[in-house]
């Protein structure tokens, strides 16, 4: 009584072979509406359209996730892509938040900053233990912090100088997340040895190393728990650098505090070697994005132009010189920029269209140009289709429009995430699994 070849006749000798013999790969033969077909097993698909080999494609992989042709940049989750939605990098490690609100980290891990319960450096991403419902991640030199959907904050890594905010200032480490008490935050930032957060009302709190006043509470005492930044409100973005902090307020003004040895606060270091509370950079207005590095900082204006200030020995200000400047200077020829990211003696800017432009130190390929040449003027990076960038000491990573991540530069601790410790002058794909 079977019409397996769909010709209206049943029990023909050739019928079974006509629509596929029993034992098709991950499928059963079917006859629907006069046409032969296959009924795929759960999790499998007939992506090549060749009925004779059944359902040949695993639909739980990154190339075909849940359905034929649905590609993922990072990984295939429960029948849908689990791709990157946030990225951060610092000295020697990188972290990302995925669509399922979990966190992956890779690279240097001597203090447990990867959050996987070990102090073993990793050349491929590892899952941060117990971190879920994460909305923002920030990477410091030897620590990492995350903000959760509930407003809670957790940090992990080195406990020295109070940078985790959990009450400890002595040396040691916590290789898994620990809660930061008394804080509800919407965004987070990590510097070399201090951390900062913005609340839903725009107030700023910082903790950790305060020897240059980078906490902003008018003192230079280290703080092991979140401490209110004095005289600052209406914050929309905060950035923590190496010994200093900058923030953007709702009027699009930039405020900075902490170390000013190179003029990174936007004022003359001869008269203001440091500031223990926020000082406004009056030369800047209409700012939409701010970023802090080791000794310099940069900001994006509403017209898409970039201004940088501070240290410039490697040309990281992008003005064609290697002369430091406490007055913000224009990065030459850079336009239509959405974000700028200040690293350790170099800078990377991302255009609205996803292209990257970089300048400054390039000895390890961190400029992404395919060479190890430094440049005091902006040059095009060989990386396009980006959504955001994380910059480390000598490496950088880009969150791609595909949902994946590509990295370039120094890879001594596996911070490029491609399963090796071989440095790369051109971008390599992070191996998600």
């Amino acid at each position: 009584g079977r019409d397996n070849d769909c010709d209206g006749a049943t029990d023909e000798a050739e019928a079974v072979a006509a629509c596929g013999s029993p034992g098709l790969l991950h499928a059963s033969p079917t006859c629907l509406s006069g046409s032969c077909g296959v009924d795929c097993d759960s999790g499998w698909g007939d992506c090549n359209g060749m009925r004779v080999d059944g359902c040949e494609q695993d639909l739980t992989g990154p190339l075909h996730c849940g359905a034929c042709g649905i590609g993922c940049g990072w990984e295939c989750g429960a029948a849908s892509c689990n791709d990157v939605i946030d990225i951060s990098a610092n000295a020697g490690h990188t972290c990302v938040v995925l669509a399922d609100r979990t966190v992956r980290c890779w690279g240097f891990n001597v203090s447990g900053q990867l959050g996987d319960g070990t102090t073993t450096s990793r050349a491929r991403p590892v899952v941060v233990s117990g971190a879920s419902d994460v909305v923002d991640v920030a990477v410091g030199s030897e620590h990492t912090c995350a903000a959760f959907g509930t407003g809670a904050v957790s940090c992990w890594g080195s406990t020295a100088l109070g940078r985790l905010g959990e009450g400890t200032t002595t040396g040691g480490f916590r290789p898994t997340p620990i809660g930061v008490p008394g804080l509800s935050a919407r965004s987070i930032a990590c510097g070399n040895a201090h951390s900062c957060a913005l609340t839903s009302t725009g107030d700023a709190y910082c903790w950790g190393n305060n020897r240059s006043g980078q906490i902003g509470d008018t003192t230079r005492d280290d703080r092991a728990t979140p401490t209110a930044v004095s005289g600052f409100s209406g914050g929309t973005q905060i950035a923590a650098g190496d010994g200093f902090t900058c923030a953007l307020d709702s009027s699009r003004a930039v405020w900075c505090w902490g170390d000013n040895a190179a003029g990174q606060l936007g004022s003359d270091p001869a008269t203001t070697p440091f500031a223990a509370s926020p000082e406004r950079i009056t030369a800047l207005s209409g700012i939409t994005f701010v970023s802090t590095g080791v000794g310099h900082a940069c900001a994006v204006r509403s017209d898409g132009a970039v201004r940088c200030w501070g240290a410039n020995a490697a040309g990281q200000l992008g003005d064609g010189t290697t002369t430091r400047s406490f007055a913000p200077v224009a990065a030459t020829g850079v336009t239509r920029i959405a974000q700028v990211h200040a690293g350790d003696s170099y800078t990377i800017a991302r255009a609205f269209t996803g292209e990257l432009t970089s300048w400054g130190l390039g000895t390890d390929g961190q400029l992404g140009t395919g060479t190890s040449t430094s440049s005091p003027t902006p040059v095009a990076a060989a990386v396009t289709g980006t959504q955001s960038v994380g910059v480390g000491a000598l490496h950088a990573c880009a969150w791609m429009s595909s949902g994946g991540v590509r990295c370039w530069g120094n890879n001594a601790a596996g911070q490029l995430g491609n399963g090796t410790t071989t440095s790369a002058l051109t971008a390599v794909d992070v191996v998600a699994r």
Side-chain angles (χ1 to χ4, degrees):
R2 300 182 65 188
D3 176 20
N4 281 346
D5 59 358
C6 300
D7 64 355
T10 60
D11 300 325
E12 297 171 293
E14 77 282 10
V16 172
C19 274
S21 60
L24 286 172
L25 186 65
H26 305 297
S28 302
T30 63
C31 172
L32 296 174
S33 302
S35 297
C36 294
V38 290
D39 184 14
C40 295
D41 295 344
S42 177
W44 293 87
D46 179 19
C47 295
N48 65 7
M50 297 175 62
R51 176 174 47 81
V52 294
D53 62 1
C55 299
E56 82 294 340
Q57 184 60 59
D58 180 359
L59 298 183
T60 63
L63 296 180
H64 303 273
C65 183
C68 295
I70 304 299
C72 302
W74 187 266
E75 67 181 11
C76 182
S80 63
C81 291
N82 190 30
D83 285 340
V84 174
I85 61 171
D86 189 29
I87 189 169
S88 180
N90 204 305
H93 76 291
T94 307
C95 295
V96 296
V97 180
L98 301 184
D100 66 359
R101 302 297 178 87
T102 60
V103 180
R104 306 290 188 274
C105 296
W106 61 94
F108 196 51
N109 196 32
V110 68
S111 297
Q113 57 263 52
L114 300 189
D116 68 341
T118 78
T119 55
T120 303
S121 296
R122 306 289 187 178
R124 289 188 178 185
V126 292
V127 177
V128 174
S129 177
S132 60
D133 191 33
V134 175
V135 296
D136 191 24
V137 68
V139 172
S141 177
E142 293 187 22
H143 75 295
T144 309
C145 293
F148 298 85
T150 60
V153 172
S154 287
C155 297
W156 56 95
S158 171
T159 61
L161 304 172
R163 72 192 77 185
L164 299 192
E166 94 299 13
T168 302
T169 58
T170 56
F173 62 89
R174 292 185 180 274
T176 56
I178 184 169
V180 178
L183 180 65
S184 179
R186 71 167 188 247
S187 64
I188 197 87
C190 290
N192 179 47
H194 77 293
S195 309
C196 295
L198 284 180
T199 69
S200 59
T201 58
D203 295 326
Y205 288 80
C206 296
W207 59 94
N209 185 6
N210 195 29
R211 294 172 188 179
S212 296
Q214 58 263 49
I215 302 303
D217 66 344
T218 75
T219 79
R220 296 175 69 184
D221 300 325
D222 294 344
R223 301 296 184 183
T225 56
T227 304
V229 174
S230 177
F232 179 80
S233 61
T236 59
Q237 186 203 347
I238 194 162
D242 185 1
F244 74 111
T245 309
C246 291
L248 186 63
D249 70 16
S250 56
S251 71
R252 295 187 177 181
V254 175
W255 300 74
C256 296
W257 56 96
D259 184 28
N260 195 37
Q264 59 264 53
L265 303 188
S267 57
D268 189 347
T271 57
T272 308
F274 70 94
S277 60
E279 294 189 350
R280 181 176 178 178
I281 302 179
T282 57
L284 295 172
S285 61
I287 300 302
T288 60
F289 194 93
V290 66
S291 179
T292 51
V294 170
H296 78 294
C298 295
V300 180
R301 300 195 321 185
S302 57
D303 63 359
V306 173
R307 296 291 183 268
C308 296
W309 59 97
N312 197 30
Q316 58 262 50
L317 301 188
D319 65 343
T321 78
T322 54
T323 303
R324 75 177 186 181
S325 176
F326 61 82
V329 296
T332 306
V334 177
T335 60
R336 297 182 58 78
I337 298 302
Q339 303 168 348
V340 66
H341 302 274
D344 185 350
S345 301
Y346 73 104
T347 307
I348 297 179
R350 176 188 169 271
F352 283 100
T353 49
E355 293 87 2
L356 301 183
T357 303
S358 54
W359 56 92
L361 188 69
T363 52
D364 285 71
Q366 60 266 49
L367 297 188
T369 60
T371 75
S372 56
T373 303
S374 301
S375 177
T377 55
V379 292
V383 185
T384 59
T386 67
Q387 297 198 72
S388 189
V389 178
V391 294
L394 298 171
H395 82 289
C397 294
W399 162 23
M400 308 302 293
S401 57
S402 66
V405 175
R406 307 194 78 198
C407 300
W408 57 95
N410 187 281
N411 197 29
Q415 58 263 51
L416 301 191
N418 67 339
T420 78
T421 54
T422 303
S423 298
L425 296 179
T426 56
V428 296
D429 291 324
V430 173
V431 180
R433 290 185 175 179

